Amino acid sequence: MPVTGPDFISLQVQHLDASRAFYEQYLGLVRSPTGPPHAVVFETTPIAFALRSVMPGTDLASASHPGVGTAVWLHSTDVQAIHDALVADGHTIVTSPESGPFGLTFTLADPDGYRITLHDRA
């Protein structure tokens, strides 16, 4: 049976509550009422997105930032407003907003340093 595509994306984070608050406050994600105690699962579609505590043997500090070589893109209905709120509160913007084939896009660094790109073209 062949693989049909991504079904679940999870990022390991050092401080689960702080990361959950960041994704809820700035990206507007809504926590799902279900999920294991070591993770926060958000109500995203079509692919589930979650944050989880660091697994034993994982050293997030060993690279320049976690997820080096991985691209995580999330769709947003208001990319510019999210960018502006992050800037106003002093969060790291990796690339400034620009128009391209995926609409308005920019890349931010989350509390653990993951590079997350937001785009507004569905």
Side-chain angles (χ1 to χ4, degrees):
M1 186 69 59
V3 171
T4 59
D7 188 52
F8 189 85
I9 296 171
S10 176
L11 302 178
Q12 295 182 59
V13 298
Q14 296 191 46
H15 304 286
L16 190 58
D17 286 336
S19 291
R20 175 201 45 78
F22 176 86
Y23 280 86
E24 288 176 340
Q25 177 180 351
Y26 293 102
L27 277 56
L29 294 181
V30 175
R31 186 177 187 168
S32 171
T34 60
H38 64 276
V40 173
V41 179
F42 295 105
E43 294 180 347
T44 57
T45 58
I47 298 170
F49 178 74
L51 306 171
R52 63 157 294 137
S53 299
V54 177
M55 296 177 67
T58 301
D59 178 12
L60 294 180
S62 65
S64 60
H65 61 82
V68 172
T70 302
V72 176
W73 285 55
L74 301 175
H75 176 260
S76 169
T77 57
D78 202 342
V79 168
Q80 190 66 55
I82 293 171
H83 170 270
D84 295 348
L86 289 165
V87 168
D89 289 345
H91 292 283
T92 302
I93 303 300
V94 179
T95 62
S96 297
E98 61 184 20
S99 293
F102 296 98
L104 186 64
T105 66
F106 81 95
T107 302
L108 62 99
D110 82 353
D112 283 275
Y114 285 102
R115 286 5 187 201
I116 307 294
T117 299
L118 301 183
H119 71 97
D120 65 3
R121 184 166 297 150

